[in-house]
């Protein structure tokens, strides 16, 4: 499975946008980019996923580089409830269906 | 449907005892996954079911671990002869999948196992 690289931690201020980066230089053409987040004492929560085009949903936006070797999860206005560990994961279509989690980025949101 | 349900939420057991956890996935989801998570680490994949068939098992799943999904509905994960190293959060997730289509997972809140 292709590997992703994320910063260990980031800080943001409440009501400001947050850009969480992810590098995946060994991504293959059939790898989907998934983002999950995990709040303390809870299971991971699906945020967004995409293949080639940028994606938007009610939680966040996913910006995918043209060469697909990196992506950015964008939280448009951070709230205190967005403080969590954010995982960027590649999932290969058509092969195993499992998600392989790394250690993610711990996002702290300051009031 | 209220999401993925896992029971119990917490389990404390003595070393050497057997434990069983249950996962009730979202009813229309045909795929079910078990993960294990220790403090400070991301979840580690254990096993995957599509309907009632167990299609993949991690090398982490030693012969003391067994998982079932009878009739493709709920699933159980049993650990025999528990060891202190089995202490972790056990997470269940489900998703709907058709062919090579890609869909998000829904995770339960997990069962926290403490082996004393």
């Amino acid at each position: 499975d292709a590997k992703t690289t994320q910063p260990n931690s980031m800080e943001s201020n409440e009501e400001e946008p947050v850009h969480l980066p992810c590098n995946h230089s060994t991504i293959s053409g059939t790898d989907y980019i998934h983002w999950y987040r995990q709040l303390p004492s809870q299971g991971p929560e699906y945020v967004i996923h995409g293949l080639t085009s940028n994606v938007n949903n009610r939680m966040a936006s996913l910006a995918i580089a043209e060469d697909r070797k990196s992506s950015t999860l964008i939280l448009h206005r951070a709230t205190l409830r967005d403080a969590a560990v954010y995982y960027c994961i590649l999932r290969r279509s058509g092969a195993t269906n499992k998600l392989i989690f790394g250690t993610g980025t711990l996002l702290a949101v300051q009031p | 449907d209220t999401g993925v349900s896992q029971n119990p939420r917490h389990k404390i057991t003595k070393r050497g005892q057997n434990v069983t956890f249950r996962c009730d996935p979202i009813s229309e989801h045909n795929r079910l996954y078990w993960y294990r998570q220790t403090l400070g680490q991301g979840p580690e994949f254990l096993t995957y079911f599509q309907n009632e068939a167990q299609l993949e098992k991690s090398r982490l799943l030693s012969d003391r671990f067994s998982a079932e999904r009878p009739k493709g509905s709920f699933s159980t994960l049993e650990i025999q002869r528990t060891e202190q190293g089995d202490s972790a959060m056990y997470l269940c997730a489900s998703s709907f999948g058709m062919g090579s289509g890609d869909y998000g997972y829904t995770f339960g809140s997990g069962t926290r196992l403490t082996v004393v």
Side-chain angles (χ1 to χ4, degrees), chain B residues 31-102:
Chain B
R31 295 176 175 171
L32 186 146
Y33 315 82
W34 284 98
Y35 283 78
R36 180 174 70 186
Q37 186 173 25
T38 53
L39 202 61
Q41 302 298 312
E44 297 173 296
F45 171 78
L46 293 179
T47 190
Y48 155 62
F49 290 85
Q50 180 149 316
N51 300 310
E52 67 276 9
Q54 188 174 21
L55 297 185
E56 186 171 353
K57 293 198 298 185
S58 163
R59 286 171 293 179
L60 293 173
L61 214 64
S62 76
D63 56 4
R64 296 186 298 106
F65 288 70
S66 62
E68 293 183 341
R69 192 183 182 199
K71 303 178 184 177
S73 55
F74 71 93
S75 177
T76 58
L77 178 68
E78 180 183 16
I79 309 174
Q80 296 182 327
R81 305 181 303 282
T82 53
E83 301 172 355
Q84 286 188 321
D86 298 330
S87 296
M89 175 75 83
Y90 290 84
L91 293 160
C92 176
S94 69
S95 73
F96 174 74
M98 284 182 64
S100 60
D102 199 65

Side-chain angles (χ1 to χ4, degrees), chain B residues 2-17:
Chain B
T2 56
V4 177
S5 176
Q6 291 189 247
N7 288 289
R9 289 297 307 276
H10 303 274
K11 178 71 177 178
I12 300 174
T13 191
K14 291 184 179 178
R15 190 177 51 174
Q17 297 294 305

Side-chain angles (χ1 to χ4, degrees), chain A residues 32-34 36 38 41-46 49 87 91-94 96-103, chain B residues 9 31 33 35 37 40-43 45 48 50 56 89 91 99-105 107-109:
Chain A
Y32 284 84
I33 302 161
H34 281 246
Y36 284 75
Q38 188 171 24
S41 302
Q42 295 188 25
E45 174 186 28
Y46 168 79
H49 78 281
Y87 297 99
R91 197 183 81 72
R92 186 152 296 169
S93 173
T96 180
N97 290 292
K98 64 180 183 245
L99 295 173
I100 305 295
F101 287 80
T103 52
Chain B
R9 289 297 307 276
R31 295 176 175 171
Y33 315 82
Y35 283 78
Q37 186 173 25
Q41 302 298 312
F45 171 78
Y48 155 62
Q50 180 149 316
E56 186 171 353
M89 175 75 83
L91 293 160
S100 60
D102 199 65
Y103 306 87
Y105 289 20
F107 279 83
S109 297

